[in-house]
mmCIF file of all heavy atoms in Angstrom:
data_model
loop_
_atom_site.group_PDB
_atom_site.id
_atom_site.type_symbol
_atom_site.label_atom_id
_atom_site.label_comp_id
_atom_site.label_asym_id
_atom_site.label_seq_id
_atom_site.Cartn_x
_atom_site.Cartn_y
_atom_site.Cartn_z
ATOM 1 N N GLU C 58 -89.676 -19.598 46.118
ATOM 2 C CA GLU C 58 -90.529 -20.205 47.067
ATOM 3 C C GLU C 58 -89.692 -20.429 48.365
ATOM 4 O O GLU C 58 -90.147 -20.224 49.475
ATOM 5 C CB GLU C 58 -91.038 -21.570 46.606
ATOM 6 C CG GLU C 58 -91.961 -22.314 47.615
ATOM 7 C CD GLU C 58 -93.079 -21.453 48.149
ATOM 8 O OE1 GLU C 58 -93.665 -20.736 47.305
ATOM 9 O OE2 GLU C 58 -93.503 -21.579 49.232
ATOM 10 N N ILE C 59 -88.477 -20.892 48.319
ATOM 11 C CA ILE C 59 -87.606 -20.934 49.442
ATOM 12 C C ILE C 59 -87.460 -19.623 50.109
ATOM 13 O O ILE C 59 -87.524 -19.493 51.326
ATOM 14 C CB ILE C 59 -86.249 -21.518 49.066
ATOM 15 C CG1 ILE C 59 -86.330 -22.999 48.671
ATOM 16 C CG2 ILE C 59 -85.293 -21.482 50.284
ATOM 17 C CD1 ILE C 59 -85.148 -23.668 48.034
ATOM 18 N N ALA C 60 -87.169 -18.687 49.304
ATOM 19 C CA ALA C 60 -87.035 -17.214 49.869
ATOM 20 C C ALA C 60 -88.190 -16.723 50.643
ATOM 21 O O ALA C 60 -88.057 -16.282 51.776
ATOM 22 C CB ALA C 60 -86.695 -16.335 48.776
ATOM 23 N N LYS C 61 -89.283 -17.044 50.108
ATOM 24 C CA LYS C 61 -90.631 -16.710 50.846
ATOM 25 C C LYS C 61 -90.777 -17.506 52.130
ATOM 26 O O LYS C 61 -91.087 -16.892 53.317
ATOM 27 C CB LYS C 61 -91.773 -16.793 49.948
ATOM 28 C CG LYS C 61 -91.740 -15.944 48.833
ATOM 29 C CD LYS C 61 -92.932 -16.151 47.774
ATOM 30 C CE LYS C 61 -92.960 -15.279 46.520
ATOM 31 N NZ LYS C 61 -93.991 -15.589 45.627
ATOM 32 N N ARG C 62 -90.499 -18.773 52.101
ATOM 33 C CA ARG C 62 -90.589 -19.621 53.234
ATOM 34 C C ARG C 62 -89.647 -19.292 54.308
ATOM 35 O O ARG C 62 -90.042 -19.456 55.526
ATOM 36 C CB ARG C 62 -90.624 -21.131 52.792
ATOM 37 C CG ARG C 62 -90.799 -22.235 53.872
ATOM 38 C CD ARG C 62 -90.846 -23.508 53.294
ATOM 39 N NE ARG C 62 -89.646 -24.098 52.683
ATOM 40 C CZ ARG C 62 -89.433 -24.280 51.447
ATOM 41 N NH1 ARG C 62 -90.445 -24.157 50.572
ATOM 42 N NH2 ARG C 62 -88.315 -24.831 50.885
ATOM 43 N N GLU C 63 -88.520 -18.942 54.043
ATOM 44 C CA GLU C 63 -87.553 -18.578 54.980
ATOM 45 C C GLU C 63 -87.580 -17.144 55.359
ATOM 46 O O GLU C 63 -86.558 -16.687 56.124
ATOM 47 C CB GLU C 63 -86.113 -18.988 54.392
ATOM 48 C CG GLU C 63 -85.835 -20.422 54.310
ATOM 49 C CD GLU C 63 -85.821 -21.243 55.602
ATOM 50 O OE1 GLU C 63 -85.623 -20.501 56.606
ATOM 51 O OE2 GLU C 63 -85.932 -22.424 55.599
ATOM 52 N N HIS C 64 -88.523 -16.430 54.808
ATOM 53 C CA HIS C 64 -88.721 -15.060 55.039
ATOM 54 C C HIS C 64 -87.385 -14.097 54.873
ATOM 55 O O HIS C 64 -86.900 -13.393 55.678
ATOM 56 C CB HIS C 64 -89.022 -14.804 56.597
ATOM 57 C CG HIS C 64 -90.253 -15.564 57.005
ATOM 58 N ND1 HIS C 64 -91.560 -15.128 56.509
ATOM 59 C CD2 HIS C 64 -90.426 -16.591 57.707
ATOM 60 C CE1 HIS C 64 -92.417 -16.011 56.935
ATOM 61 N NE2 HIS C 64 -91.810 -17.081 57.775
ATOM 62 N N ALA C 65 -86.814 -14.372 53.654
ATOM 63 C CA ALA C 65 -85.578 -13.688 53.267
ATOM 64 C C ALA C 65 -86.038 -12.110 53.020
ATOM 65 O O ALA C 65 -87.008 -11.747 52.534
ATOM 66 C CB ALA C 65 -85.151 -14.131 51.890
ATOM 67 N N ASP C 66 -85.144 -11.247 53.609
ATOM 68 C CA ASP C 66 -85.434 -9.721 53.515
ATOM 69 C C ASP C 66 -84.547 -9.206 52.380
ATOM 70 O O ASP C 66 -84.891 -8.083 51.905
ATOM 71 C CB ASP C 66 -84.821 -9.145 54.838
ATOM 72 C CG ASP C 66 -85.759 -9.632 56.004
ATOM 73 O OD1 ASP C 66 -86.838 -9.260 56.117
ATOM 74 O OD2 ASP C 66 -85.089 -10.419 56.847
ATOM 75 N N ALA C 67 -83.573 -9.919 51.836
ATOM 76 C CA ALA C 67 -82.673 -9.329 50.665
ATOM 77 C C ALA C 67 -82.008 -10.575 50.118
ATOM 78 O O ALA C 67 -81.921 -11.706 50.625
ATOM 79 C CB ALA C 67 -81.705 -8.318 51.294
ATOM 80 N N ILE C 68 -81.501 -10.220 48.821
ATOM 81 C CA ILE C 68 -80.664 -11.288 48.097
ATOM 82 C C ILE C 68 -79.374 -10.707 47.620
ATOM 83 O O ILE C 68 -79.453 -9.459 47.292
ATOM 84 C CB ILE C 68 -81.553 -11.842 47.084
ATOM 85 C CG1 ILE C 68 -80.808 -13.026 46.284
ATOM 86 C CG2 ILE C 68 -82.027 -10.825 46.077
ATOM 87 C CD1 ILE C 68 -81.735 -13.778 45.283
ATOM 88 N N THR C 69 -78.377 -11.399 47.550
ATOM 89 C CA THR C 69 -77.143 -10.919 46.909
ATOM 90 C C THR C 69 -76.388 -12.107 46.285
ATOM 91 O O THR C 69 -76.572 -13.295 46.641
ATOM 92 C CB THR C 69 -76.271 -10.237 47.931
ATOM 93 O OG1 THR C 69 -75.209 -9.547 47.176
ATOM 94 C CG2 THR C 69 -75.559 -11.276 48.900
ATOM 95 N N THR C 70 -75.484 -11.905 45.413
ATOM 96 C CA THR C 70 -74.554 -12.816 44.723
ATOM 97 C C THR C 70 -73.412 -11.948 44.260
ATOM 98 O O THR C 70 -73.421 -10.765 44.189
ATOM 99 C CB THR C 70 -75.232 -13.723 43.868
ATOM 100 O OG1 THR C 70 -74.325 -14.831 43.477
ATOM 101 C CG2 THR C 70 -75.605 -12.901 42.516
ATOM 102 N N ALA C 71 -72.562 -12.672 43.522
ATOM 103 C CA ALA C 71 -71.379 -12.000 42.819
ATOM 104 C C ALA C 71 -70.527 -12.963 41.992
ATOM 105 O O ALA C 71 -70.821 -14.125 41.978
ATOM 106 C CB ALA C 71 -70.268 -11.465 44.022
ATOM 107 N N TYR C 72 -69.681 -12.367 41.214
ATOM 108 C CA TYR C 72 -68.564 -13.025 40.620
ATOM 109 C C TYR C 72 -68.995 -13.804 39.273
ATOM 110 O O TYR C 72 -67.991 -14.278 38.619
ATOM 111 C CB TYR C 72 -67.703 -13.882 41.541
ATOM 112 C CG TYR C 72 -67.582 -13.328 42.933
ATOM 113 C CD1 TYR C 72 -67.830 -14.021 44.019
ATOM 114 C CD2 TYR C 72 -67.024 -12.014 43.005
ATOM 115 C CE1 TYR C 72 -67.594 -13.359 45.289
ATOM 116 C CE2 TYR C 72 -66.825 -11.377 44.208
ATOM 117 C CZ TYR C 72 -67.052 -12.101 45.365
ATOM 118 O OH TYR C 72 -66.914 -11.508 46.512
ATOM 119 N N SER C 73 -70.119 -13.970 38.941
ATOM 120 C CA SER C 73 -70.374 -14.744 37.742
ATOM 121 C C SER C 73 -71.624 -14.214 37.170
ATOM 122 O O SER C 73 -72.696 -13.866 37.806
ATOM 123 C CB SER C 73 -70.688 -16.136 38.099
ATOM 124 O OG SER C 73 -71.791 -16.820 37.432
ATOM 125 N N ASP C 74 -71.745 -14.171 35.817
ATOM 126 C CA ASP C 74 -72.872 -13.682 35.039
ATOM 127 C C ASP C 74 -73.984 -14.545 35.202
ATOM 128 O O ASP C 74 -75.180 -14.067 35.274
ATOM 129 C CB ASP C 74 -72.449 -13.628 33.434
ATOM 130 C CG ASP C 74 -71.703 -12.337 33.155
ATOM 131 O OD1 ASP C 74 -71.818 -11.394 33.732
ATOM 132 O OD2 ASP C 74 -70.826 -12.460 32.212
ATOM 133 N N LEU C 75 -73.774 -15.838 35.270
ATOM 134 C CA LEU C 75 -74.941 -16.760 35.466
ATOM 135 C C LEU C 75 -75.554 -16.540 36.774
ATOM 136 O O LEU C 75 -76.800 -16.420 36.910
ATOM 137 C CB LEU C 75 -74.417 -18.161 35.338
ATOM 138 C CG LEU C 75 -75.567 -19.239 35.636
ATOM 139 C CD1 LEU C 75 -76.687 -18.967 34.572
ATOM 140 C CD2 LEU C 75 -75.001 -20.692 35.374
ATOM 141 N N LEU C 76 -74.765 -16.459 37.911
ATOM 142 C CA LEU C 76 -75.360 -16.122 39.179
ATOM 143 C C LEU C 76 -76.177 -14.778 39.207
ATOM 144 O O LEU C 76 -77.209 -14.659 39.843
ATOM 145 C CB LEU C 76 -74.277 -16.149 40.214
ATOM 146 C CG LEU C 76 -73.765 -17.494 40.697
ATOM 147 C CD1 LEU C 76 -72.474 -17.229 41.474
ATOM 148 C CD2 LEU C 76 -74.757 -18.208 41.516
ATOM 149 N N LEU C 77 -75.521 -13.697 38.479
ATOM 150 C CA LEU C 77 -76.276 -12.478 38.476
ATOM 151 C C LEU C 77 -77.580 -12.677 37.810
ATOM 152 O O LEU C 77 -78.620 -12.153 38.275
ATOM 153 C CB LEU C 77 -75.446 -11.478 37.765
ATOM 154 C CG LEU C 77 -76.073 -10.256 37.456
ATOM 155 C CD1 LEU C 77 -76.359 -9.277 38.548
ATOM 156 C CD2 LEU C 77 -75.378 -9.336 36.372
ATOM 157 N N GLU C 78 -77.655 -13.304 36.703
ATOM 158 C CA GLU C 78 -78.855 -13.483 35.975
ATOM 159 C C GLU C 78 -79.888 -14.102 36.780
ATOM 160 O O GLU C 78 -81.115 -13.837 36.783
ATOM 161 C CB GLU C 78 -78.586 -14.282 34.684
ATOM 162 C CG GLU C 78 -79.793 -14.566 33.794
ATOM 163 C CD GLU C 78 -79.515 -15.373 32.658
ATOM 164 O OE1 GLU C 78 -78.380 -15.379 32.097
ATOM 165 O OE2 GLU C 78 -80.453 -16.000 32.040
ATOM 166 N N CYS C 79 -79.509 -15.259 37.467
ATOM 167 C CA CYS C 79 -80.437 -15.996 38.246
ATOM 168 C C CYS C 79 -80.924 -15.151 39.513
ATOM 169 O O CYS C 79 -82.062 -15.271 39.877
ATOM 170 C CB CYS C 79 -79.731 -17.289 38.709
ATOM 171 S SG CYS C 79 -79.356 -18.532 37.414
ATOM 172 N N MET C 80 -80.073 -14.411 40.139
ATOM 173 C CA MET C 80 -80.439 -13.599 41.182
ATOM 174 C C MET C 80 -81.464 -12.660 40.780
ATOM 175 O O MET C 80 -82.384 -12.357 41.483
ATOM 176 C CB MET C 80 -79.344 -12.863 41.833
ATOM 177 C CG MET C 80 -79.590 -11.975 42.990
ATOM 178 S SD MET C 80 -78.154 -10.897 43.507
ATOM 179 C CE MET C 80 -78.311 -9.695 42.300
ATOM 180 N N VAL C 81 -81.290 -11.979 39.617
ATOM 181 C CA VAL C 81 -82.232 -10.862 39.176
ATOM 182 C C VAL C 81 -83.717 -11.545 38.957
ATOM 183 O O VAL C 81 -84.553 -10.987 39.410
ATOM 184 C CB VAL C 81 -81.720 -10.195 37.836
ATOM 185 C CG1 VAL C 81 -82.751 -9.397 37.251
ATOM 186 C CG2 VAL C 81 -80.474 -9.416 38.171
ATOM 187 N N LYS C 82 -83.688 -12.667 38.391
ATOM 188 C CA LYS C 82 -84.950 -13.340 38.106
ATOM 189 C C LYS C 82 -85.540 -13.803 39.437
ATOM 190 O O LYS C 82 -86.857 -13.723 39.607
ATOM 191 C CB LYS C 82 -84.786 -14.533 37.124
ATOM 192 C CG LYS C 82 -84.331 -14.154 35.721
ATOM 193 C CD LYS C 82 -84.044 -15.347 34.876
ATOM 194 C CE LYS C 82 -83.640 -14.958 33.474
ATOM 195 N NZ LYS C 82 -83.356 -16.156 32.668
ATOM 196 N N ILE C 83 -84.793 -14.452 40.388
ATOM 197 C CA ILE C 83 -85.308 -14.774 41.634
ATOM 198 C C ILE C 83 -85.896 -13.652 42.513
ATOM 199 O O ILE C 83 -86.989 -13.690 43.002
ATOM 200 C CB ILE C 83 -84.269 -15.577 42.405
ATOM 201 C CG1 ILE C 83 -83.860 -16.920 41.753
ATOM 202 C CG2 ILE C 83 -84.675 -15.870 43.817
ATOM 203 C CD1 ILE C 83 -82.559 -17.469 42.139
ATOM 204 N N ALA C 84 -85.110 -12.592 42.523
ATOM 205 C CA ALA C 84 -85.489 -11.366 43.233
ATOM 206 C C ALA C 84 -86.865 -10.904 42.685
ATOM 207 O O ALA C 84 -87.841 -10.506 43.437
ATOM 208 C CB ALA C 84 -84.509 -10.316 43.112
ATOM 209 N N ASP C 85 -87.023 -10.838 41.403
ATOM 210 C CA ASP C 85 -88.312 -10.325 40.883
ATOM 211 C C ASP C 85 -89.381 -11.341 41.110
ATOM 212 O O ASP C 85 -90.543 -10.867 41.451
ATOM 213 C CB ASP C 85 -88.089 -10.410 39.253
ATOM 214 C CG ASP C 85 -89.273 -9.883 38.499
ATOM 215 O OD1 ASP C 85 -89.620 -8.642 38.688
ATOM 216 O OD2 ASP C 85 -89.881 -10.605 37.812
#
Side-chain angles (χ1 to χ4, degrees):
E58 180 58 34
I59 293 171
K61 293 174 182 177
R62 183 166 67 246
E63 294 289 345
H64 304 288
D66 297 288
I68 185 172
T69 193
T70 194
Y72 315 131
S73 137
D74 282 328
L75 178 59
L76 281 168
L77 169 71
E78 177 181 338
C79 294
M80 181 190 78
V81 172
K82 293 176 180 178
I83 292 164
D85 183 65

